[in-house]
Amino acid sequence: MAKPLTDQDRRKQISVRGLAGVENVADLKTNFNRHLHFTLVKDRNVATKRDYYFALANTVRDHLVGRWIRTQQHYYEKDPKRVYYLSLEFYMGRTLQNTMVNLALENACDEATYQLGLDMEELQDIEEDAGLGNGGLGRLAGELLIGRCHLVFPQVEEADDWLRYGNPWEKARPEYMRPVHFYGRVEHTADGVKWVDTQVVLALPYDTPVPGYRNNIVNTMRLWSAKAPCDFNLKDFNVGGYIQAVLDRNLAENISRVLYPNDNFFEGKELRLKQEYFVVAATLQDIIRRFKASKFGSTEFVRLDLSTLPDKVAIQLNDTHPALAIPELMRLLVDIEKVPWEKAWDIVIRTCAYTNHTVLPEALERWPVDLFQNLLPRHLDIIYEINRRHLERISKLYPGDTDRICRMSLIEEGDVKKINMAHLCIVGSHAVNGVARIHSDIIKNTALAGHVQPRSCLTHLLNLQKIGEDYIRDLDQLKKLLDFVNDDAFIRDVAKIKQENKMKFAAHLEAHYKVKINPSSMFDVQVKRIHEYKRQLLNCLHIITLYNRIKNEPNKQWTPRTIMIGGKAAPGYHTAKMIIKLITSIGDIVNNDPVVGDRLKVIFLENYRVTLAEKIIPAADLSEQISTAGTEASGTGNMKFMLNGALTIGTMDGANVEMAEEAGEENLFIFGMRVHDVEALDKKGYDAVSYYNRVPELKQAVDQIAGGFFSPSQPGLFKDLVNMLMHHDRFKVFADYEDYIRCQERVSALYKNPKEWTKMVIHNIAGCGKFSSDRTISEYAREIWGMEPSLEKIAAPDAPR
Ligand SMILES: *Cc1c(COP(=O)(O)O)cnc(C)c1O
């Protein structure tokens, strides 16, 4: 448990955060007590910590309400173009602190809770993460949303025991419930095509407010929950059928019950396809309804011209997961609104844009045609028609080039006929982008830069008053830090803040994980999903090498390291689970070896999620970004570490490339193969065994893993892992081993010189301007959505009473 703050601690906090907003304290206390009494129906004798958290959350939420309503009114009056960010994941983390910061209520709430004898940080820790995401793709959606979103962002909704105690932030909107159809058959009538005999599931929207940073704008994240209709299957029940019909209701409601836990992996399950269509169908109805109801749209007297849809609506597809938006919008326009095909297709293309997140083949969505035929027969027809016209155009452009036609078809022939969803997105969008330049180059498209939410992680490091508060709005201001890179006092300040963050994280680890670490050791951190391409195994080989070196020369001045690796493995990904097992096994041996002492510790961080990211990233000295070049589309973790004063050891992959460009390559620890080296090695044939035979320390490490050195009670435990590394490693771990180890030696050497280390840190922080989510959004706005990004503010409403 966090210990209560002393008055001195509190004065320090207030002086760091500034005093703005403290005048609300009395009102906040009144409202807190009112919620405890009326909302939670508790008095202070029986209230739990969770009750206090809810009272505080409700008190803060009250400050959102007026702004939220006003924002909607403002948009209705102005009728601006609206951007709909369609995603199957929104990895949001916690809401309370972000809301307080964005509404400038943090100091006042801190003071109010203090005066009530409570510890605000302890209350904040009660909030569960909104874990509607797996990794970077979902987190990016969350960050862009928090960053500076422009309106309604829908998504499939909740799973998890996250909601066991209720969610104070969301509001159900049953009045906007929408039917979503599945199965059935297609009927061609004189009145056009009809999709009939379908099963209906209702989509119930839940809205979560998303406040902008001190601009009084509160946008909406709209999540959809599946509800069975009242008469679900009940019309055809007989005596025995009634029970089944009631049970089937649950089946229908399962659509929104779970989030598939894969990151960068396509699992072609029918339930997943249902989820994807469910989000898309509910959202598109919502979009068309809002378009028709807009002030400058049609009334019942003016016939609505849907060809103006792209002037008012932009749909951004977060990977191919919501790709069905393309055929669904076609269906609504052609079948329901009776727009001719060519005109409808033009509207769809001008409305939709697609962001690609990966080039790993196992991640690409390719749905069997049979599944579609059964679940979404009308959409299959529409996709076939889109493809027919698409291939017709290609064969006109490249007559006789059957190879190209096969390559570019939306339908892949083979044992199982499949729909290539990435191709569908490319054909049905006016803009396609990757998430980092190298990735965009790889997918042969225009570049758009990377993405970091500047507020969420940057709570600790940069309150240095040197560059004022402007950096929060405009990360380019960070460049000004370069003026102080030789200022000894500033260097000391930066180092001191990092040290404080490390102490704080060490205390957290001790309290929650019962492990003691040496806070003056280098915190060497790799946190991200466990995946072969991210190469946690390369990190493991370095750890083992370091261990063996210390054992060989125990009296040498080794730079002490605490190596922390964290991340979840998808439940069905056996190799990833074995990698975790290897990390903990290495830890068991290394951490208990008296010769090593506290010069090397290996810790696996369980349950890595947004909340833990926000704790560990500000405490990290070294950020491990070591994927095989050409495999990480961008990464977002890499930028978060950079902004928070960690140095990067990494390959020239994803956004590392642009980070090196911005900070100067000499200020990162870059090693290993470049993309063209990987391609060359592929041509030649990668032979892991030859590295094993040639490099003695590599051989020793691999032999130790294979021989059970780290798993004495189960010597053969890691034989599959070793077999993979030696004989079918798609990600070429051994090829980068030697350069990685040499690079790590440079890291250790520099760490011995705190001043030079910190100067390099300052160069890195100063180079972060390019990676703000505000900038990313602005670029999307100009280059994809055809609108001017605005930094507008609206007037604040009265404070709640
Ligand atoms: C940033 C972030 C990620 C993405 O990390 P990468 O290193 O880019 O893979 C994943 N999970 C959480 C909780 C994050 O905050």
Side-chain angles (χ1 to χ4, degrees):
M1 281 286 105
K3 69 176 174 20
L5 295 176
T6 63
D7 273 345
Q8 199 191 352
D9 289 337
R10 293 175 33 70
R11 268 200 304 282
K12 212 164 74 191
Q13 277 194 354
I14 296 218
S15 74
V16 168
R17 289 183 194 147
L19 274 161
V22 173
E23 66 278 10
N24 297 329
V25 172
D27 285 346
L28 286 169
K29 278 163 68 184
T30 310
N31 288 332
F32 180 96
N33 285 324
R34 184 169 55 76
H35 276 298
L36 193 64
H37 184 85
F38 288 105
T39 310
L40 295 153
V41 199
K42 286 281 178 88
D43 66 29
R44 296 214 44 178
N45 295 321
V46 291
T48 62
K49 289 261 157 66
R50 179 164 281 106
D51 292 323
Y52 291 133
Y53 158 70
F54 274 107
L56 179 59
N58 278 294
T59 304
V60 170
R61 183 185 168 280
D62 287 348
H63 287 258
L64 282 173
V65 172
R67 291 176 168 88
W68 202 6
I69 291 173
R70 278 201 178 202
T71 301
Q72 303 316 312
Q73 290 168 345
H74 173 82
Y75 289 144
Y76 182 78
E77 285 304 318
K78 290 263 163 100
D79 197 29
K81 185 167 181 176
R82 292 172 190 246
V83 177
Y84 295 84
Y85 195 84
L86 262 67
S87 180
L88 269 280
E89 301 185 17
F90 281 98
Y91 202 174
M92 301 298 286
R94 290 174 177 166
T95 299
L96 177 58
Q97 190 193 9
N98 183 59
T99 306
M100 291 191 299
V101 169
N102 283 12
L103 299 187
L105 282 172
E106 206 182 13
N107 296 328
C109 286
D110 192 23
E111 187 61 30
T113 43
Y114 175 72
Q115 289 181 18
L116 291 163
L118 300 165
D119 176 1
M120 188 166 81
E121 264 190 50
E122 204 180 335
L123 298 188
Q124 284 175 0
D125 268 342
I126 289 171
E127 182 173 357
E128 302 274 350
D129 277 37
L132 304 172
N134 289 302
L137 173 147
R139 187 62 198 130
L140 178 63
E143 283 171 345
L144 291 180
L145 195 49
I146 297 164
R148 187 161 61 75
C149 51
H150 262 91
L151 281 186
V152 188
F153 299 83
Q155 181 241 347
V156 76
E157 79 117 2
E158 60 240 19
D160 286 5
D161 38 337
W162 164 53
L163 292 169
R164 191 187 316 156
Y165 298 98
N167 175 357
W169 305 105
E170 70 182 12
K171 175 81 188 78
R173 298 286 189 198
E175 68 276 24
Y176 295 121
M177 196 133 71
R178 300 276 157 236
V180 175
H181 298 259
F182 294 101
Y183 305 107
R185 62 195 168 78
V186 178
E187 216 174 68
H188 295 265
T189 71
D191 190 30
V193 180
K194 296 218 156 72
W195 182 19
V196 297
D197 294 341
T198 54
Q199 275 183 29
V200 176
V201 177
L202 299 175
L204 169 62
Y206 283 81
D207 287 352
T208 297
V210 184
Y213 183 74
R214 301 192 185 173
N215 57 7
N216 298 314
I217 289 177
V218 178
N219 285 317
T220 304
M221 174 175 70
R222 175 160 282 185
L223 308 173
W224 299 95
S225 173
K227 296 295 283 176
C230 299
D231 64 349
F232 187 81
N233 272 5
L234 291 179
K235 53 188 179 301
D236 46 31
F237 81 84
N238 48 40
V239 180
Y242 171 73
I243 301 291
Q244 197 53 51
V246 173
L247 294 178
D248 286 350
R249 293 178 65 86
N250 278 323
L251 240 47
E253 294 179 359
N254 277 345
I255 289 176
S256 57
R257 207 150 278 155
V258 307
L259 172 70
Y260 279 86
N262 303 319
D263 183 54
N264 275 300
F265 184 76
F266 170 59
E267 190 181 335
K269 292 286 194 309
E270 187 190 61
L271 179 59
R272 170 70 177 196
L273 184 59
K274 274 188 176 169
Q275 293 182 336
E276 295 182 351
Y277 180 62
F278 179 75
V279 176
V280 157
T283 304
L284 284 180
Q285 288 179 69
D286 213 33
I287 291 174
I288 302 266
R289 175 194 58 75
R290 191 171 297 107
F291 177 71
K292 287 183 171 178
S294 73
K295 193 171 160 186
F296 304 110
S298 107
T299 65
E300 44 187 307
F301 307 110
V302 185
R303 197 176 136 61
L304 183 85
D305 185 2
L306 279 158
S307 64
T308 63
L309 189 77
D311 303 332
K312 291 293 176 193
V313 171
I315 293 175
Q316 190 69 33
L317 306 173
N318 194 27
D319 216 294
T320 59
H321 312 151
L324 281 162
I326 291 164
E328 173 68 0
L329 187 51
M330 280 305 281
R331 188 184 71 85
L332 294 176
L333 293 171
V334 174
D335 294 358
I336 312 288
E337 306 287 341
K338 309 291 179 202
V339 178
W341 181 282
E342 284 80 11
K343 191 171 163 189
W345 185 239
D346 175 64
I347 294 172
V348 167
I349 288 183
R350 286 194 293 128
T351 305
C352 296
Y354 158 57
T355 305
N356 173 286
H357 283 265
T358 180
V359 290
L360 293 184
E362 65 268 36
L364 300 179
E365 290 195 297
R366 293 145 76 239
W367 287 106
V369 163
D370 289 350
L371 250 177
F372 258 77
Q373 180 70 62
N374 184 41
L375 188 69
L376 301 166
R378 177 56 183 146
H379 297 80
L380 183 60
D381 286 354
I382 290 172
I383 291 169
Y384 275 139
E385 181 59 17
I386 293 171
N387 195 39
R388 193 186 63 75
R389 290 165 183 255
H390 165 61
L391 295 182
E392 205 172 272
R393 209 173 43 240
I394 292 177
S395 53
K396 273 206 193 105
L397 284 171
Y398 307 94
D401 191 346
T402 44
D403 231 37
R404 182 185 299 266
I405 291 178
C406 281
R407 219 169 45 235
M408 295 178 75
S409 172
L410 310 189
I411 310 292
E412 294 178 358
E413 306 291 338
D415 295 350
V416 184
K417 235 177 163 186
K418 288 178 176 163
I419 305 171
N420 184 316
M421 302 305 271
H423 288 187
L424 175 63
C425 285
I426 293 168
V427 173
S429 299
H430 66 276
V432 180
N433 69 289
V435 279
R437 193 177 58 224
I438 186 174
H439 173 59
S440 289
D441 289 346
I442 286 171
I443 66 168
K444 301 274 185 301
N445 270 295
T446 44
L448 279 178
H451 337 269
V452 163
Q453 211 296 317
R455 262 87 68 185
S456 61
C457 286
L458 189 73
T459 44
H460 303 94
L461 191 58
L462 275 168
N463 283 306
L464 297 173
Q465 284 135 19
K466 289 270 181 190
I467 53 172
E469 269 228 327
D470 273 356
Y471 73 87
I472 286 186
R473 275 208 167 279
D474 179 6
L475 282 189
D476 276 340
Q477 300 281 335
L478 291 170
K479 282 224 170 65
K480 291 186 189 164
L481 286 179
L482 288 180
D483 298 345
F484 304 97
V485 73
N486 292 313
D487 173 337
D488 283 343
F490 181 65
I491 294 170
R492 268 198 308 277
D493 282 349
V494 171
K496 188 159 154 260
I497 290 172
K498 180 56 83 178
Q499 197 52 40
E500 281 167 7
N501 292 341
K502 290 173 68 175
M503 307 277 277
K504 201 166 163 194
F505 189 72
H508 174 79
L509 271 189
E510 198 169 342
H512 296 268
Y513 298 78
K514 306 274 174 280
V515 266
K516 239 189 150 90
I517 57 177
N518 170 7
S520 62
S521 63
M522 179 201 308
F523 284 13
D524 170 346
V525 182
Q526 186 177 24
V527 284
K528 48 182 75 247
R529 292 291 290 222
I530 309 294
H531 208 297
E532 284 159 86
Y533 86 86
K534 290 175 182 285
R535 297 202 295 190
Q536 281 90 0
L537 285 172
L538 184 57
N539 195 342
C540 288
L541 290 174
H542 172 245
I543 298 172
I544 296 171
T545 304
L546 213 52
Y547 171 72
N548 291 332
R549 287 182 178 183
I550 295 173
K551 295 281 280 188
N552 281 341
E553 296 183 79
N555 297 321
K556 210 175 141 179
Q557 288 297 307
W558 299 101
T559 301
R561 290 201 193 211
T562 302
I563 301 180
M564 293 178 264
I565 304 180
K568 290 180 181 163
Y573 188 0
H574 179 250
T575 303
K577 291 188 163 174
M578 289 313 294
I579 292 171
I580 295 177
K581 183 73 189 159
L582 178 62
I583 296 163
T584 58
S585 302
I586 295 171
D588 288 343
I589 298 298
V590 170
N591 299 346
N592 294 307
D593 191 323
V595 175
V596 172
D598 70 357
R599 292 181 294 183
L600 179 60
K601 288 276 178 255
V602 181
I603 293 166
F604 183 76
L605 298 169
E606 271 159 38
N607 198 9
Y608 177 61
R609 61 198 185 287
V610 176
T611 310
L612 188 56
E614 287 169 350
K615 288 186 173 36
I616 192 167
I617 292 174
D621 292 307
L622 185 66
S623 158
E624 300 269 355
Q625 308 297 339
I626 57 177
S627 52
T628 317
T631 63
E632 185 77 89
S634 162
T636 52
N638 45 5
M639 303 178 240
K640 288 182 260 183
F641 278 98
M642 181 184 184
L643 180 63
N644 282 278
L647 297 185
T648 301
I649 182 163
T651 46
M652 273 298 190
D653 197 23
N656 296 356
V657 176
E658 284 138 291
M659 284 161 49
E661 209 169 276
E662 295 297 307
E665 198 171 327
E666 68 284 6
N667 291 310
L668 277 77
F669 295 97
I670 297 291
F671 71 94
M673 295 178 287
R674 311 297 201 248
V675 172
H676 59 88
D677 299 321
V678 175
E679 285 165 0
L681 188 52
D682 265 327
K683 276 220 186 77
K684 181 174 137 219
Y686 167 63
D687 176 17
V689 177
S690 68
Y691 297 91
Y692 168 86
N693 286 328
R694 187 170 56 73
V695 185
E697 286 187 295
L698 173 62
K699 180 171 189 305
Q700 185 187 6
V702 173
D703 288 348
Q704 284 169 321
I705 301 172
F709 183 87
F710 299 107
S711 53
S713 60
Q714 284 171 276
L717 184 61
F718 299 117
K719 72 175 192 318
D720 288 353
L721 272 189
V722 171
N723 189 43
M724 182 276 286
L725 284 170
M726 297 280 274
H727 301 295
H728 24 252
D729 175 9
R730 293 164 58 208
F731 303 105
K732 307 181 177 63
V733 171
F734 293 0
D736 275 338
Y737 169 83
E738 287 175 279
D739 204 24
Y740 180 53
I741 299 291
R742 277 194 296 271
C743 196
Q744 288 283 22
E745 288 165 7
R746 290 198 285 125
V747 172
S748 286
L750 186 71
Y751 197 73
K752 291 208 170 90
N753 185 341
K755 187 169 164 188
E756 288 308 311
W757 180 278
T758 306
K759 280 170 124 172
M760 208 183 233
V761 165
I762 295 168
H763 277 283
N764 272 269
I765 299 170
C768 277
K770 187 173 180 190
F771 305 118
S772 84
S773 54
D774 284 3
R775 172 189 286 260
T776 304
I777 295 258
S778 299
E779 285 180 4
Y780 273 59
R782 276 197 205 98
E783 294 172 29
I784 301 177
W785 305 327
M787 47 205 265
E788 254 324 287
S790 80
L791 278 174
E792 73 183 327
K793 289 188 183 191
I794 60 178
D798 295 334
R801 296 246 159 243

